Amino acid sequence: GENVEQHPSTLSVQEGDSAVIKCTYSDSASNYFPWYKQELGKRPQLIIDIRSNVGEKKDQRIAVTLNKTAKHFSLHITETQPEDSAVYFCAVSFSRGGADGLTFGKGTHLIIQP
Amino acid sequence: SAVISQKPSRDICQRGTSLTIQCQVDSQVTMMFWYRQQPGQSLTLIATANQGSEATYESGFVIDKFPISRPNLTFSTLTVSNMSPEDSSIYLCSVPWGAQYGYTFGSGTRLTVV
């Protein structure tokens, strides 16, 4: 089955700096790559996603890049703010036709230092 | 996006008993997914609930332990059977939303087995 590796497990950055989280996957047939933010005690919330026919997508301070050849994708957060502190999960959808379940990375605890 | 109502939000159960978790969506969806999130861990897909047919279980999860019902396109239940303390987790349902294949999560059920 699909294997998703996420790094780093913890990331501490100064407020205003950028944060980058990277994920690699194993199944070259995967075609959907979302990122979720989970605050303590809350459900995961989709913050950005990308599909295999696109190399980069940006939404304000958040961007995702995808390298299908190398089978990795990254989340970029610029101008970090205290409210960005949370656990971030990458995920991959394995193609079995139609809408398929997600395989998640182990998560990155992002800490924004004031 | 879809609005998902999940209940109960939390429960404390005795070992050896069973708990049924309900997930109601405000619109018809073909696929519904059930995930487990163990304390401090990532999300793991348990099974895909298919309307009109048996659920499809992921490796490591079996129907006798996690029976699933899907009577219609807006509702599903997950039962955690013969519980042990190792079953203490958050259980979440999820649905894909529209052609964009974004996945929305329910608010989760926090289960503690004592």
Side-chain angles (χ1 to χ4, degrees), chain B residues 29-32 49-54 70-75:
Chain B
V29 290
T30 306
M31 301 284 195
M32 294 179 74
N50 306 303
Q51 198 271 331
S53 64
E54 282 196 357
R70 183 81 197 276
N72 57 55
L73 292 175
T74 64
F75 187 78

Side-chain angles (χ1 to χ4, degrees), chain A residues 3-22:
Chain A
N3 183 45
V4 180
E5 300 282 341
Q6 183 172 345
H7 298 282
S9 57
T10 302
L11 179 60
S12 181
V13 301
Q14 291 292 320
E15 181 179 351
D17 288 349
S18 297
V20 180
I21 304 170
K22 182 176 177 178

Side-chain angles (χ1 to χ4, degrees), chain A residues 43-44, chain B residues 4-6 23 92-94 104-108:
Chain A
R43 77 189 80 184
Chain B
I4 304 174
S5 300
Q6 187 174 339
C23 185
L92 301 108
C93 62
S94 175
T104 300
F105 285 85
S107 54

Side-chain angles (χ1 to χ4, degrees), chain A residues 25-64:
Chain A
Y25 61 98
S26 59
D27 188 349
S28 58
S30 297
N31 60 3
Y32 177 64
F33 309 91
W35 285 91
Y36 285 85
K37 176 183 181 181
Q38 188 175 34
E39 297 174 282
L40 191 62
K42 297 188 176 181
R43 77 189 80 184
Q45 296 279 1
L46 178 69
I47 55 172
I48 196 166
D49 58 10
I50 194 167
R51 302 183 190 284
S52 60
N53 58 345
V54 176
E56 183 174 358
K57 183 178 178 180
K58 188 174 182 180
D59 182 5
Q60 299 183 354
R61 297 186 297 111
I62 296 173
V64 55

Side-chain angles (χ1 to χ4, degrees), chain A residues 32 36 38 41 43-44 46 49 51 89 93-94 96 98-102 104-106, chain B residues 4 31 33 35 37 41-43 45 48 58 92 96 100-103 105-107 110:
Chain A
Y32 177 64
Y36 285 85
Q38 188 175 34
R43 77 189 80 184
L46 178 69
D49 58 10
R51 302 183 190 284
F89 294 100
S93 175
F94 42 91
R96 292 195 295 220
D100 301 306
L102 296 170
F104 283 82
K106 292 189 181 303
Chain B
I4 304 174
M31 301 284 195
F33 303 95
Y35 292 84
Q37 187 172 27
Q41 304 297 313
S42 183
L43 290 83
L45 181 63
T48 301
E58 299 301 312
L92 301 108
Q100 297 304 314
Y101 289 123
Y103 294 77
F105 285 85
S107 54
R110 183 180 295 273

